[in-house]
Amino acid sequence: MNGKELHQQLNELFEQNPNIDELGLISSRNSAFDSNSAFILAENNTKIGISFSCITELYSYCFNQFNIERKKFTSSHSDQILNKSLDLLTRTILFINAENITALNIRKQLILNGYNEHLKEIKLLNLIFTKHPKSGDAWTHRRWVLTNYKDSFHNKGSNSEEQTSLSIQDELKVCKRVAEIYPKNYYAWTHRFYILKNQPRDILLDDLKTIKDWINRNISDYCGYHHRYLIITTLIQNDENQNNNNNNNNQTQKEQSIDLLRNEIKMIQDLIEFYPGHESPWNYLRTLTRYYCTLDIKDKEQFLAEQFVFTQKVIQDRDSSYYDKQISYCYRYLITLIYQLGFSQSAEEKHQLLNNLKNQIPNQSEFWEYLESSK
Amino acid sequence: MTDNQLLKEKHVEYIINLDKKKEDFEYWVTEHLRMNGMYWGLSALSILNSIDKMNKEETIEWVLSCQQPNGGFSGNNQHDDHLLSTLSAVQILLQFDALDRLNIDAVVDYVVSLQQPDGSFFGDRWGEVDTRFTYCAVSILSLLNKLDKINQDKVVEFIGKCRNFDGGYGCLPGAESHAGQTFTCIGTLAILHRLHEIDIDTIGWWLCERQLPNGGLNGRPEKSSDVCYSWWVLSSLSAIDRLHWIDQDKLRSYIIDCQDQETGGIADKPQDLPDVFHTFFGLCGLSLMGYYNLEHIDPVYALPTKTLRKLKHLNLTWNKH
């Protein structure tokens, strides 16, 4: 089959099976393919596989054809046959290469000229993410679609039925799913906070609950911790802003937010003890501690003393195969308490700590030397 | 690999043969990045003192053919413009000493038009904001001596908002610290002569924590090592004069282990297939650390220091070479 026939066949498969929600590129040596077929459907025709052997043919045809037809396209006039053809060609291109920004940009214009709907585009992106979860340009395109949707909604005036069709919950679900397909996925987590940042308190609190479960299953993924950090600090910041606006009723709410932060520190300490030897929760604890000390709080001395007690408890807990890693992170945390936050220790104790670190993390010897010479 | 040998000839060979491969799968899924690829390949040859191995006139013609009516450059002939490819185009033309053939005013107007009231930059007319785009804009205008056309204080203010408690920077305000984004933010501040805005101890510490026991560097906590961070992390440390805070010999060995003994080129990790991106950044790392007599690369502009020295308006306060 040539590229044109492959593209047509793929389009027909999508027309006949509108519920396809997962995409894969599959080596044709896979036994699921017979030697002649370029595509395979599975699980009640909801998953589609494209044979690797036909991809170059399919992609080069679609890209060349796209470039020919793109020249005829102008945003001012609307030729439905051309619109449809560009829609299908760019779809196939993105299945194979989701970073083709020129194809993504034509799809934006197909929304602007009214040919494509925002909701349909989001659904297509959900499908593309199952194969390309780390495509930064596809995430960028998604944000453009959401922003344009909101803008066009404002321009049109109220139409609640349409507005509810693109919901926050759907966005959050996609972010979670993609973060699971590809752990430590910077794009998915950046998008998640982009969706949440201006949401009301109860939605932020709900998300904190959702992500608690997530970090328990993804101990070494810093993205989840950073996300929690953003939510907690956003809540505290929002309270500050409201307080500045002379809203006295907010004092209790502010205390609740600070409690949230204290509970978070406690939770992360438990996690560190339960799963020793992971860098991410330790880094998160360090960040939370630094943040806590910037707040206008009265018990800073006592707080630092409690943190110190925690480190001593960790150092004494030798019953783990990951003890070496665990104490190297613990020593690093002690450095933060002493050198950055001013927890007082004798010169001799500091010297001993830096010596331990030189043994535990020799790569950074010069940095430990620097700390020693600076105080 | 025990003798720590850098396969210079093989790497040159690898790079000049890249453009001869046409029409295979790799070609099609990377053709939209050709401008970046050309910059990586050409600059790698510069580091290896072999820039004359490139077809100069043909390359310049092709680069110029990618300038769009709005002044920006696209990643290849059949594509839309973007700040990322525009910076690469300027970097290529500069290395060929061909900036006089560029419609400079059009490029400057394009870049200036993308700055937003909060100081950030769009990557193109569709409106995505990212600290990478800020770096591209500031680097382009600085190389063309047109920094006065934008609001620099606002740029610095925006970069400040992207800084996190660990000292690192993300792609947007609030986004997680990432070594690549940290390079773009430190680079921007360096070009604007605002390195004093940086908390050097905190970011320096976070950056040197990126070195793993195998000597390689990662870009975020608990990620695996990757040769490209030999650029993003190392250049940032170099710009703040803290290169010595990591174990350079161990990093050298890690990069050397990522060479492909047969084909030349450097991969992201030992045993992986090489590509031009990691070949360039691996060589950059070795050059910054001063190994193998390589041409020195500037940690802020990602261009050979000797090329930058020809631009009399630049003041490379961070560069002692």
Side-chain angles (χ1 to χ4, degrees):
Chain A
M1 250 192 288
N2 64 28
K4 186 177 180 176
E5 288 160 347
L6 288 165
H7 176 57
Q8 281 167 348
Q9 198 190 347
L10 185 62
N11 292 337
E12 281 161 20
L13 285 172
F14 270 90
E15 214 160 295
Q16 291 153 10
N17 304 286
N19 293 326
I20 291 174
D21 63 6
E22 197 176 322
L23 169 72
L25 307 183
I26 296 174
S27 155
S28 44
R29 273 186 294 253
N30 189 307
S31 58
F33 282 102
D34 74 52
S35 55
N36 294 320
S37 64
F39 309 106
I40 184 167
L41 290 164
E43 293 186 31
N44 292 327
N45 298 348
T46 58
K47 322 282 172 209
I48 190 163
I50 305 179
S51 163
F52 204 79
S53 63
C54 74
I55 278 184
T56 307
E57 189 77 32
L58 177 61
Y59 189 87
S60 58
Y61 164 77
C62 288
F63 187 61
N64 288 331
Q65 191 60 27
F66 164 67
N67 279 310
I68 294 167
E69 299 193 11
R70 190 161 78 95
K71 292 194 181 83
K72 300 180 212 154
F73 182 85
T74 56
S75 44
S76 53
H77 84 105
S78 188
D79 169 347
Q80 290 303 63
I81 295 166
L82 182 63
N83 284 342
K84 181 172 182 190
S85 178
L86 282 169
D87 178 29
L88 297 176
L89 287 166
T90 51
R91 184 176 71 179
T92 302
I93 288 170
L94 297 174
F95 283 162
I96 298 166
N97 175 14
E99 306 261 294
N100 188 320
I101 64 161
T102 312
L104 289 165
N105 290 346
I106 281 286
R107 296 196 66 83
K108 293 182 184 77
Q109 301 202 47
L110 289 173
I111 289 177
L112 289 176
N113 75 9
Y115 180 77
N116 266 347
E117 288 161 18
H118 298 87
L119 189 59
K120 194 180 131 201
E121 193 71 358
I122 290 292
K123 209 179 144 200
L124 176 68
L125 283 167
N126 292 349
L127 175 61
I128 287 171
F129 284 151
T130 63
K131 169 61 199 157
H132 304 285
K134 256 186 90 179
S135 166
D137 294 308
W139 282 102
T140 294
H141 181 62
R142 187 179 189 102
R143 268 191 293 279
W144 181 89
V145 175
L146 293 172
T147 309
N148 186 263
Y149 176 74
K150 234 188 287 170
D151 291 350
S152 61
F153 176 75
H154 276 302
N155 294 342
K156 265 188 269 174
S158 155
N159 181 342
S160 58
E161 197 184 331
E162 200 187 347
Q163 191 183 28
T164 50
S165 57
L166 268 179
S167 79
I168 294 172
Q169 291 313 322
D170 288 343
E171 285 304 297
L172 298 182
K173 242 185 265 168
V174 169
C175 291
K176 186 155 171 256
R177 188 170 160 201
V178 176
E180 279 162 358
I181 300 174
Y182 196 97
K184 301 168 195 171
N185 188 322
Y186 195 80
Y187 302 106
W189 288 97
T190 305
H191 189 76
R192 188 177 192 95
F193 189 65
Y194 165 85
I195 295 299
L196 286 167
K197 63 182 177 190
N198 294 321
Q199 295 304 317
R201 189 177 173 88
D202 54 335
I203 292 191
L204 293 178
L205 288 171
D206 270 353
D207 203 54
L208 217 46
K209 275 187 209 133
T210 313
I211 300 305
K212 179 158 184 191
D213 197 35
W214 201 88
I215 62 164
N216 281 327
R217 281 183 276 116
N218 299 270
I219 294 298
S220 56
D221 190 332
Y222 192 77
C223 294
Y225 302 114
H226 182 73
H227 185 73
R228 294 183 68 80
Y229 163 79
L230 285 174
I231 292 184
I232 292 169
T233 52
T234 300
L235 288 169
I236 293 175
Q237 195 54 48
N238 288 350
D239 297 340
E240 294 274 334
N241 296 345
Q242 282 174 9
N243 268 10
N244 291 343
N245 294 338
N246 279 336
N247 186 342
N248 290 333
N249 296 339
N250 253 357
Q251 201 52 36
T252 355
Q253 190 174 303
K254 191 185 166 189
E255 276 159 25
Q256 281 169 3
S257 299
I258 302 279
D259 276 350
L260 210 61
L261 175 60
R262 284 177 152 282
N263 290 338
E264 187 75 359
I265 291 171
K266 181 77 192 74
M267 178 201 80
I268 206 72
Q269 288 178 340
D270 291 347
L271 210 65
I272 283 171
E273 288 186 275
F274 208 70
Y275 300 99
H278 289 275
E279 185 181 13
S280 299
W282 277 105
N283 280 21
Y284 182 44
L285 177 63
R286 185 167 68 180
T287 288
L288 290 174
T289 302
R290 280 174 182 159
Y291 177 72
Y292 188 78
C293 289
T294 64
L295 297 174
D296 182 20
I297 40 156
K298 292 182 190 77
D299 66 342
K300 188 178 156 190
E301 292 302 315
Q302 200 203 323
F303 170 74
L304 289 176
E306 281 166 20
Q307 299 308 305
F308 182 76
V309 170
F310 170 69
T311 61
Q312 301 311 300
K313 192 172 156 208
V314 168
I315 290 169
Q316 278 148 29
D317 180 12
R318 295 177 166 273
D319 190 24
S320 154
S321 345
Y322 305 99
Y323 182 69
D324 268 3
K325 273 188 158 181
Q326 179 85 331
I327 51 163
S328 65
Y329 300 133
C330 184
Y331 289 151
R332 269 182 10 186
Y333 183 57
L334 269 169
I335 290 286
T336 300
L337 298 180
I338 297 166
Y339 285 87
Q340 293 190 312
L341 302 173
F343 181 71
S344 151
Q345 285 281 276
S346 73
E348 199 185 319
E349 280 162 323
K350 287 202 273 194
H351 178 70
Q352 186 55 47
L353 173 62
L354 288 166
N355 254 352
N356 289 342
L357 274 163
K358 276 180 220 165
N359 291 327
Q360 290 287 336
I361 312 178
N363 287 351
Q364 291 172 38
S365 289
E366 294 269 355
F367 180 67
W368 311 127
E369 298 274 354
Y370 163 76
L371 287 183
E372 184 132 50
S373 65
S374 70
K375 298 281 156 119
Chain B
M1 194 64 213
T2 48
D3 58 355
N4 271 347
Q5 192 197 347
L6 179 68
L7 308 166
K8 289 188 187 179
E9 286 80 25
K10 285 207 165 182
H11 296 322
V12 171
E13 195 83 349
Y14 172 78
I15 293 161
I16 53 181
N17 282 324
L18 279 172
D19 223 32
K20 293 177 185 154
K21 281 191 251 162
K22 284 260 158 92
E23 310 292 303
D24 63 356
F25 177 67
E26 272 309 302
Y27 166 81
W28 284 108
V29 290
T30 56
E31 65 78 35
H32 66 291
L33 286 172
R34 188 159 185 252
M35 191 66 81
N36 302 106
M38 192 65 81
Y39 156 72
W40 296 324
L42 178 72
S43 309
L45 289 177
S46 286
I47 295 175
L48 293 164
N49 255 314
S50 303
I51 191 171
D52 52 324
K53 297 266 168 56
M54 233 22 181
N55 188 329
K56 178 175 169 180
E57 194 46 39
E58 196 184 292
T59 309
I60 293 173
E61 285 293 328
W62 171 77
V63 170
L64 292 172
S65 77
C66 291
Q67 190 170 26
Q68 303 301 315
N70 64 5
F73 282 79
S74 51
N76 205 341
N77 306 95
Q78 312 253 43
H79 283 280
D80 287 351
D81 56 278
H82 200 283
L83 267 179
L84 291 167
S85 33
T86 304
L87 174 59
S88 289
V90 171
Q91 288 169 318
I92 295 167
L93 294 174
L94 176 66
Q95 290 186 77
F96 279 133
D97 203 11
L99 280 184
D100 56 331
R101 293 169 66 178
L102 171 67
N103 183 346
I104 289 181
D105 288 345
V107 179
V108 172
D109 289 347
Y110 172 74
V111 175
V112 170
S113 74
L114 294 170
Q115 191 178 28
Q116 302 307 302
D118 68 354
S120 68
F121 279 85
F122 286 174
D124 61 16
R125 72 187 179 100
W126 298 106
E128 179 75 356
V129 168
D130 190 306
T131 47
R132 287 180 302 153
F133 310 153
T134 301
Y135 171 79
C136 290
V138 166
S139 179
I140 292 166
L141 294 177
S142 157
L143 292 170
L144 300 176
N145 199 13
K146 300 283 182 188
L147 269 178
D148 57 319
K149 301 273 183 194
I150 51 163
N151 187 333
Q152 299 174 47
D153 289 339
K154 278 281 171 193
V155 173
V156 175
E157 197 181 310
F158 178 74
I159 295 289
K161 286 183 198 156
C162 298
R163 185 176 171 275
N164 290 310
F165 259 90
D166 51 25
Y169 294 83
C171 63
L172 289 168
E176 186 188 341
S177 295
H178 183 294
Q181 308 290 152
T182 298
F183 159 80
T184 66
C185 294
I186 291 184
T188 299
L189 295 174
I191 292 172
L192 298 176
H193 300 295
R194 305 288 186 95
L195 278 174
H196 57 268
E197 306 265 345
I198 296 174
D199 174 358
I200 288 182
D201 283 0
T202 307
I203 181 55
W205 185 14
W206 186 82
L207 286 165
C208 70
E209 271 177 15
R210 307 276 59 77
Q211 188 167 36
L212 300 175
N214 67 7
L217 303 167
N218 67 13
R220 288 184 281 147
E222 289 195 73
K223 297 269 286 181
S224 60
S225 53
D226 181 318
V227 159
C228 72
Y229 295 106
S230 310
W231 173 252
W232 310 119
V233 172
L234 217 55
S235 59
S236 303
L237 282 169
S238 176
I240 57 171
D241 198 17
R242 296 294 182 274
L243 208 54
H244 55 286
W245 279 6
I246 62 152
D247 186 331
Q248 300 183 46
D249 239 21
K250 275 182 111 176
L251 176 59
R252 187 250 304 255
S253 300
Y254 180 80
I255 299 172
I256 291 296
D257 284 350
C258 293
Q259 296 181 110
D260 192 309
Q261 299 288 314
E262 279 166 35
T263 62
I266 301 174
D268 58 345
K269 297 173 182 22
Q271 315 303 332
D272 278 3
L273 286 177
D275 60 66
V276 64
F277 176 84
H278 290 94
T279 303
F280 172 53
F281 287 127
L283 291 169
C284 279
L286 296 172
S287 159
L288 272 184
M289 295 186 287
Y291 292 116
Y292 306 109
N293 261 329
L294 297 166
E295 195 58 55
H296 186 261
I297 186 110
D298 182 77
V300 166
Y301 285 98
L303 286 165
T305 299
K306 72 168 183 197
T307 307
L308 294 167
R309 292 283 178 218
K310 291 184 202 155
L311 301 178
K312 296 298 171 210
H313 66 273
L314 297 183
N315 182 9
L316 314 177
T317 50
W318 53 84
N319 185 335
K320 296 184 193 101
H321 283 75

